[in-house]
């Protein structure tokens, strides 16, 4: 079981008791605005998704490392942060990172603090070699999180994806273990 701490946060694997919070977070339209492809809409859909998360977290070759993010003093849910293993190579895992937080926590540094800790775990404890992530260009807050965590912009894909009724530009970032600094 993964349990990480930062100055203000606890980042941990989900447990059975977290279902309602998980469903509330992943079904919140503002929180999931930029992640509509993984947004949950029904309790049944959430049950199936959550079951897969719990099962995967118990596997020795797990694929999903998304963690429940909560305040360390009040244990209030802030969001979720982590990565998915895309492939394994002789030099280490290649992963896709992501994060989503409730709007009430935006702009306060929580997501940056959480992603920094996840990167530290990935590179120093989980044999990750490359972390990739991205966001729509209009999502300046998300891009700033990547920049503050030392990630390097690799690409700008003009009119790359259909989102909310129009084509939008996507930015891609990366960080290699050799580029990472604590």
């Amino acid at each position: 079981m993964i349990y990480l701490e930062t100055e203000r946060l606890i980042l941990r694997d989900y447990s059975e008791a977290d279902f309602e919070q998980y469903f509330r977070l992943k079904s919140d339209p503002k929180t999931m605005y930029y992640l509509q492809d993984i947004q949950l809409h029904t309790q049944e859909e959430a049950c199936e998704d959550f079951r897969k998360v719990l099962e995967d977290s118990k596997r020795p070759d797990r694929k999903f490392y998304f963690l429940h993010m909560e305040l360390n003093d009040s244990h209030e849910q802030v969001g979720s942060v982590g990565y998915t293993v895309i492939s394994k190579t002789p030099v280490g895992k290649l992963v896709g990172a992501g994060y989503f937080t409730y709007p009430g926590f935006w702009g306060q540094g929580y997501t940056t603090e959480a992603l920094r800790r996840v990167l530290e775990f990935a590179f120093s404890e989980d044999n990750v070699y490359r972390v990739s992530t991205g966001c729509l260009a209009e999502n300046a807050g998300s891009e700033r999180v990547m920049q503050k965590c030392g990630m390097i912009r690799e690409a700008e894909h003009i009119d790359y994806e259909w989102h909310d009724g129009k084509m939008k530009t996507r930015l891609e970032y990366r960080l290699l273990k050799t580029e990472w600094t604590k």
Side-chain angles (χ1 to χ4, degrees), residues 3-148:
Y3 183 92
L4 310 172
E5 290 189 49
T6 70
E7 182 181 331
R8 302 179 293 167
L9 299 168
I10 294 170
L11 312 171
R12 60 172 177 77
D13 275 325
Y14 286 95
S15 70
E16 294 276 350
D18 296 320
F19 174 74
E20 290 301 325
Q21 290 183 68
Y22 182 84
F23 177 51
R24 188 168 45 92
L25 177 71
K26 287 196 69 178
S27 64
D28 183 79
K30 285 187 178 179
T31 300
M32 302 306 291
Y33 177 73
Y34 289 109
L35 297 165
Q36 294 172 2
D37 58 325
I38 62 166
Q39 182 176 356
L40 300 173
H41 302 284
T42 67
Q43 191 125 10
E44 294 76 28
E45 185 181 41
C47 282
E48 178 65 19
D49 190 59
F50 193 64
R51 182 187 59 75
K52 288 177 184 174
V53 167
L54 294 179
E55 284 175 6
D56 185 73
S57 70
K58 294 176 176 93
R59 295 172 47 132
D61 63 336
R62 71 190 282 181
K63 181 178 178 178
F64 303 106
Y65 288 81
F66 274 85
L67 306 173
H68 175 84
M69 185 187 334
E70 65 184 43
L71 297 176
N72 63 11
D73 55 359
S74 68
H75 299 284
E76 181 181 1
Q77 182 187 34
V78 174
S80 187
V81 62
Y83 55 88
T84 300
V85 177
I86 298 164
S87 66
K88 294 179 181 179
T89 73
V91 296
K93 297 174 186 175
L94 309 182
V95 304
Y99 41 83
F100 38 101
T101 55
Y102 283 114
F105 295 101
W106 293 351
Q108 299 175 52
Y110 289 112
T111 306
T112 300
E113 187 176 322
L115 184 59
R116 277 189 185 130
R117 183 63 183 96
V118 166
L119 290 171
E120 179 184 357
F121 168 80
F123 291 131
S124 65
E125 299 177 50
D126 195 36
N127 193 35
V128 169
Y129 178 75
R130 178 187 172 93
V131 177
S132 302
T133 191
C135 66
L136 293 180
E138 69 187 47
N139 191 352
S142 184
E143 183 180 20
R144 188 73 186 118
V145 168
M146 293 174 221
Q147 291 167 341
K148 288 163 80 175

